[in-house]
Amino acid sequence: MNALLRVLSLPAVFLSKIPGLAPVVRACSTSVGQKFLMAITGLSLIGFLVVHLAGNLQLFAGEAVFNAYAEKLHSLGPLLGIAEVGLFATFAAHIGLAISTASMNKLARKSSYALKETKQGLFILPAGGASSWMMVTGLLIFGFLVIHIMDLKLKKGFGVDYTAAMNADNEAVNSFQAVKAVLSHPVHAGIYFVCLIALGIHLSHGIRSALQTLGLHHKNWNFALRTLGFVMAWGIAGGFISLIVWALGSKS
Amino acid sequence: MSSDLLNLTLRVWRQAAPNQPGEFRDYRLNGVSTHMSFLEMLDVLNEQLIAQGEVPVAFDHDCREGICGMCSLMINGQAHGPDRGTTSCQLHMRRFRNGETITIEPWRADPFPVIRDLVVNRSAFDRIIQAGGFVSVNTGNAPDGNSVPVPGVRQEMAMDAAACIGCGACVAACKNASAMLFVSAKVSQLSILPQGQPERANRVLNMVAQMDKEGFGSCTNTSECEAACPAEVSVAHIARLNREYMKAMLFADH
Ligand code: HEM
Ligand code: SF4
Ligand code: FES
């Protein structure tokens, strides 16, 4: 456990050597600082999701439009590579902090109650609302990412037939057809659906929680911000789910 | 009221000493008046146990009027029992039904080790206060009360935070055993008032550092603490603590 923690803290040791970053790194070693970083990485990942969804909704516009978009994206070359590295680093940081804070929380109560109730009334899910499901839904999202990258980045999805997306050299280059091939596979579509529901749950607590962690709490604004967060969470999840529905419908 | 007397089964956590294993023990208690407070009911239980030659149940209490924060009891899975804004000592037996089984446990959090039965050691809170929950003033003559102007709203905000009685229910109710509501109440109370300004940045940094050192969990923003708090301290103070902390961490002049 200690050795693992030492390895996990290596990036922090490295970053603290960069001038100006020492106080930031020091903040990250505290519970409040770690939550702060979780909120920032979480919101950045939402930023990515919004851009990704906006791009993918062009599937509705048909093969030509979507493939033109995909090509433009790939023509960014090294820029895309840098963005991808940044995205992976953000994911790694978010997950690392999730594990760090969750283990801190577990250690804080090693023997649990025989009986535990809540005084909060309206709970969307039992036992603490969506907030009790952050690790579970987070891990589902992580599992989804692995499958998703196999499916549509490496085009090596388990049991998926990419024939329609292939060019003369048997390379799966047609993005539109590749998406259709993956989403019309019932097992893949099923996994995507379940994981996107998990994403909706994760974000319905995550956005609200991130606002509070960043100190945004004011009685004039709470209702508006929380409503917006809820709509955004399910808007993003629903937006992606609509693509699965679309693929099922256009299966010919 | 048809029945003013309750016959109850009490499932009470018994533990002889800090590092010993504990267990639940069931006790029958008959003829409990609905006018009794919860602690008076425990007093009656102890009378009965002493009469039977058994060791009475150890539980913490002092003021018995909701201001000292000693009566830390988990009652049927709720910190301080089922009512909002109420301490265990202010809880009345009319809240329970005849024939009911009532489960009574100590606060469960590793920074609050059980001393005996239902009594836990909350010194961790004292050490957090010692780390920064104060103002340093070289005393001289008493200053004129009006020499430090504080707007009414600020006074009220500080008072809402100062209402915290340090009972630990927020820690007990939180699934992470986080002390953020307590610490935020103490940080807020002083950061809102002019008297708290000189030590503002160091206070929040030191108190959070001590909170982490004591081994409390982190805040998941579930708001279970706010619901359980007998002083109804709001999680708005946690948001303020977060702001204070980041401001101090990134921009303090030291
Ligand atoms: C697209 C992917 C993801 C997005 C957009 C996202 C977003 C967020 C946001 C905004 C928060 C709130 C931060 C806060 O508590 O202040 C959060 C919290 C959290 N996330 Fe994620 N997350 C994602 C993926 C993951 C993954 C893959 C995991 C785990 C393996 C994970 C685990 C957690 C946990 C455990 C929390 C904190 C729960 C708590 O203490 O309240 N997340 N996430
Ligand atoms: S914040 Fe509320 S629950 Fe926590 S110690 Fe203070 S009075 Fe008790
Ligand atoms: S005994 Fe003092 S608050 Fe309950």
Side-chain angles (χ1 to χ4, degrees):
Chain A
M1 188 70 191
N2 273 342
L4 179 70
L5 285 178
R6 203 153 320 128
V7 173
L8 283 176
S9 67
L10 278 181
V13 173
F14 172 71
L15 285 172
S16 64
K17 301 278 187 273
I18 301 173
L21 276 188
V24 182
V25 173
R26 224 176 322 125
C28 301
S29 65
T30 69
S31 60
V32 178
Q34 291 195 357
K35 288 298 304 193
F36 207 73
L37 264 196
M38 279 203 82
I40 291 176
T41 51
L43 293 180
S44 316
L45 292 174
I46 292 173
F48 157 72
L49 287 182
V50 170
V51 174
H52 191 47
L53 177 62
N56 288 354
L57 285 175
Q58 296 177 54
L59 283 166
F60 287 120
E63 187 161 352
V65 173
F66 185 75
N67 281 341
Y69 155 72
E71 228 153 84
K72 212 184 291 159
L73 207 59
H74 291 143
S75 72
L76 291 175
L79 232 53
L80 187 67
I82 294 169
E84 277 171 352
V85 170
L87 185 61
F88 282 123
T90 311
F91 264 114
H94 188 78
I95 296 171
L97 291 160
I99 294 169
S100 164
T101 50
S103 52
M104 191 189 302
N105 300 343
K106 279 279 160 293
L107 292 176
R109 179 177 292 129
K110 291 188 211 78
S111 58
S112 46
Y113 291 104
L115 195 61
K116 182 70 175 72
E117 301 287 337
T118 173
K119 270 182 199 148
Q120 297 193 80
L122 181 70
F123 262 31
I124 302 159
L125 289 163
S131 65
S132 291
W133 296 87
M134 293 306 271
M135 200 38 128
V136 177
T137 53
L139 288 172
L140 276 174
I141 298 167
F142 180 72
F144 168 79
L145 282 175
V146 174
I147 296 173
H148 187 57
I149 289 170
M150 295 277 289
D151 280 355
L152 286 163
K153 178 124 190 98
L154 306 176
K155 311 254 177 16
K156 292 208 166 39
F158 177 76
V160 177
D161 176 11
Y162 291 100
T163 322
M166 285 175 181
N167 62 7
D169 299 331
N170 269 1
E171 295 168 69
V173 289
N174 186 327
S175 301
F176 182 86
Q177 293 298 341
V179 172
K180 254 181 89 172
V182 168
L183 290 185
S184 51
H185 191 290
V187 175
H188 286 259
I191 293 173
Y192 279 33
F193 179 76
V194 170
C195 293
L196 285 168
I197 296 290
L199 178 69
I201 295 170
H202 196 85
L203 296 190
S204 66
H205 175 72
I207 296 177
R208 180 195 170 116
S209 173
L211 294 173
Q212 168 82 1
T213 301
L214 296 176
L216 268 166
H217 180 119
H218 194 282
K219 62 183 189 325
N220 294 357
W221 296 102
N222 283 349
F223 180 75
L225 283 174
R226 284 169 192 179
T227 309
L228 191 73
F230 188 82
V231 169
M232 209 165 147
W234 289 106
I236 292 173
F240 281 114
I241 288 172
S242 76
L243 301 175
I244 305 178
V245 176
W246 161 82
L248 285 177
S250 68
K251 187 158 132 190
S252 47
Chain B
M1 209 174 275
S2 57
S3 154
D4 282 326
L5 297 177
L6 307 174
N7 297 333
L8 302 167
T9 304
L10 304 171
R11 298 204 70 203
V12 183
W13 181 260
R14 301 303 308 261
Q15 181 174 338
N19 289 314
Q20 303 230 327
E23 59 170 2
F24 282 102
R25 209 77 71 67
D26 284 1
Y27 302 104
R28 297 278 312 160
L29 191 60
N30 293 335
V32 174
S33 161
T34 50
H35 302 308
M36 277 183 196
S37 76
F38 200 83
L39 299 192
E40 285 165 339
M41 182 276 292
L42 288 178
D43 291 337
V44 175
L45 170 70
N46 279 343
E47 299 276 338
Q48 177 178 309
L49 289 177
I50 291 166
Q52 290 165 350
E54 284 190 51
V55 183
V57 176
F59 64 94
D60 250 338
H61 59 100
D62 188 15
C63 70
R64 298 203 175 202
E65 55 178 6
I67 55 172
C68 75
M70 287 302 283
C71 51
S72 47
L73 295 176
M74 202 73 178
I75 301 164
N76 282 342
Q78 303 264 28
H80 291 298
D83 292 333
R84 279 188 178 243
T86 305
T87 52
S88 300
C89 59
Q90 294 169 307
L91 176 66
H92 280 79
M93 293 315 293
R94 53 180 164 269
R95 239 355 217 97
F96 299 90
R97 275 171 294 106
N98 191 22
E100 194 171 340
T101 298
I102 304 174
T103 304
I104 313 167
E105 286 182 78
W107 287 170
R108 296 214 187 270
D110 282 62
F112 289 165
V114 173
I115 296 173
R116 186 192 181 97
D117 296 339
L118 303 172
V119 180
V120 299
N121 185 344
R122 287 177 293 122
S123 306
F125 271 10
D126 299 334
R127 290 188 290 271
I128 293 174
I129 295 292
Q130 282 159 10
F134 50 79
V135 293
S136 308
V137 181
N138 294 325
T139 49
N141 291 334
D144 175 52
N146 295 319
S147 65
V148 184
V150 184
V153 253
R154 305 288 291 178
Q155 288 177 27
E156 290 297 331
M157 280 160 68
M159 190 55 223
D160 286 346
C164 167
I165 56 177
C167 66
C170 41
V171 175
C174 173
K175 72 185 178 72
N176 300 341
S178 166
M180 282 289 273
L181 193 64
F182 167 75
V183 177
S184 74
K186 301 305 174 194
V187 165
S188 283
Q189 175 196 338
L190 298 175
S191 73
I192 288 168
L193 294 174
Q195 291 88 343
Q197 298 314 306
E199 287 148 312
R200 187 169 170 180
N202 284 330
R203 173 180 306 114
V204 63
L205 295 177
N206 294 340
M207 290 180 82
V208 167
Q210 189 63 35
M211 171 180 88
D212 286 351
K213 202 165 138 202
E214 298 292 347
F216 292 103
S218 70
C219 179
T220 293
N221 298 317
T222 306
S223 300
E224 193 63 27
C225 51
E226 179 185 278
C229 174
E232 303 191 297
V233 171
S234 160
V235 293
H237 297 295
I238 295 183
R240 180 177 296 101
L241 167 69
N242 290 334
R243 294 197 296 271
E244 292 288 324
Y245 186 78
M246 280 305 140
K247 233 181 338 189
M249 198 44 139
L250 300 174
F251 307 115
D253 359 282
H254 54 68

